[in-house]
Amino acid sequence: MDRIMQGRMDRGFMRHQDEYENKALEVLRSGWYILGKEVENFEKEFATYVGTKYSVGLASGLDALWLAFKVLGIGEGDEVIVQGNTYIASVMGITINDATPVFVEPDEYYQIDVSKIEEKITDKTKAILVVHLYGQSARMDEVVRLCKKYNLKLVEDCAQSHGACFNGKMTGSFGDIGCFSFYPSKNMGAFGDAGAITTDDPELARLMKIYRNYGSEKRYYNMVVGANSRLDEMQAGLLRVRLKYMDEITAERAELAKRYAEGINNPLVIKPRVAEGATCVWHQYVIRVKDNRDNLMKYLDENSITTIIHYPIPPHLSEAYNYLGMKAGDLPITESCANEVLSLPIYSGMTTEEQDYIIDCVNSFKA
Ligand SMILES: *Cc1c(COP(=O)(O)O)cnc(C)c1O
């Protein structure tokens, strides 16, 4: 068997290859490549999917995050609450605006521990950034309640949670703004960099369109210092194809996660669970191994299985955030996650044979 790679992307493309190729040719031949009908249609279709009034296409997930705080007016002197165990882009969305991240530890589902948010709220707190990590919704009932109680803005990082719900409502529709990435390896992947925001607020949608285009609504009339963060026609067109198959993609991942859950029985391995009320779209299948994680990773690698750690260095300990002055031990739960988690391969088009082989290898690992 060939090496099994975590995050493999070609099989998802091949399943609907003709449609992607036809769309690519259609866009190439249209003679129109930036801000046209593909982006407009994508924005309508994606908003409908998520269940919001508006969506605005952007160049990446990081842009969605930092522009979200920008249009909400959050900046220097403001604090934003975010979970400690996230991809560093979540935190950069805050700090690019010179706002200060305030970290909260995760719960046993790797989502923000809602029982630990309130103690972090100060008179400088302006927003909560919820990250639906690994594809599972955070406990949105409680997060929404706290935002109302303390009059905080709510931003959702949905880069890993396309289609995930809490109590039947889709992530990206709870907050003032939902931020999405369509980086190729995400559940809803483009074929290059791409992102979007969702919102019910027409003014926030309008501002986002201004910011993504050099701060101009009318050509050569610039109201604010913006960005060049437009979703291009090619990616928008290809994403419209991907969007049609999102239910299929999500169902396939659910089946793969179920097979892992049933098949893995090594007592050294802690399997992921889903909280009551939440659904998980299994962007990653993250197992946890106390003490022996690196040995298991090496063992799987020797057996031609590539796994990844999401994420080995938590943002508060990364060199980029030295200036925050935090040190090892400040977020013990976040730090133990970084030392113990391991993402097994899970991707569109994974075969039963491949998965059974991975399960056998995980089960035959000894400390
Ligand atoms: C991928 C990701 C991002 C960044 O998205 P890009 O499109 O790569 O900029 C942000 N947050 C999380 C949680 C992510 O997984």
Side-chain angles (χ1 to χ4, degrees), residues 285-329:
Y285 191 85
V286 178
I287 59 172
R288 194 156 170 179
V289 189
K290 294 206 191 298
D291 308 323
N292 295 300
R293 192 267 317 270
D294 292 347
N295 290 338
L296 173 59
M297 192 177 189
K298 188 160 160 279
Y299 177 77
L300 294 174
D301 185 60
E302 284 161 3
N303 285 284
S304 301
I305 300 165
T306 303
T307 56
I308 303 189
I309 299 164
H310 296 101
Y311 299 91
I313 303 172
H316 72 286
L317 298 181
S318 114
E319 192 184 343
Y321 289 119
N322 276 348
Y323 74 89
L324 293 174
M326 295 184 74
K327 55 185 190 318

Side-chain angles (χ1 to χ4, degrees), residues 66-129:
W66 79 260
L67 289 168
F69 292 109
K70 178 68 85 181
V71 300
L72 288 169
I74 291 168
E76 204 178 340
D78 298 334
E79 292 177 357
V80 177
I81 288 174
V82 62
Q83 71 197 65
N85 62 326
T86 183
Y87 183 49
I88 199 161
S90 314
V91 183
M92 287 183 178
I94 299 167
T95 59
I96 288 170
N97 290 293
D98 296 322
T100 304
V102 174
F103 297 106
V104 171
E105 295 269 46
D107 60 19
E108 67 264 45
Y109 309 100
Y110 306 112
Q111 311 308 317
I112 190 165
D113 187 336
V114 293
S115 70
K116 294 178 180 162
I117 294 176
E118 207 155 10
E119 66 201 53
K120 296 292 173 84
I121 295 173
T122 71
D123 53 7
K124 289 183 181 160
T125 309
K126 291 285 150 54
I128 299 178
L129 172 60

Side-chain angles (χ1 to χ4, degrees), residues 32-61:
W32 194 276
Y33 308 116
I34 300 283
L35 296 184
K37 75 172 182 19
E38 294 294 343
V39 170
E40 251 173 62
N41 284 324
F42 172 73
E43 289 174 343
K44 283 190 198 123
E45 291 159 9
F46 190 63
T48 302
Y49 174 72
V50 175
T52 55
K53 292 204 181 98
Y54 309 96
S55 164
V56 179
L58 300 166
S60 74

Side-chain angles (χ1 to χ4, degrees), residues 60-62 65 86-87 89-90 131 133 157 159-160 181-183 186 193-194 311:
S60 74
L62 175 60
L65 286 158
T86 183
Y87 183 49
S90 314
V131 186
L133 200 70
D157 182 340
Q160 305 188 359
S181 166
F182 307 114
Y183 182 79
K186 308 294 189 191
D193 276 309
Y311 299 91

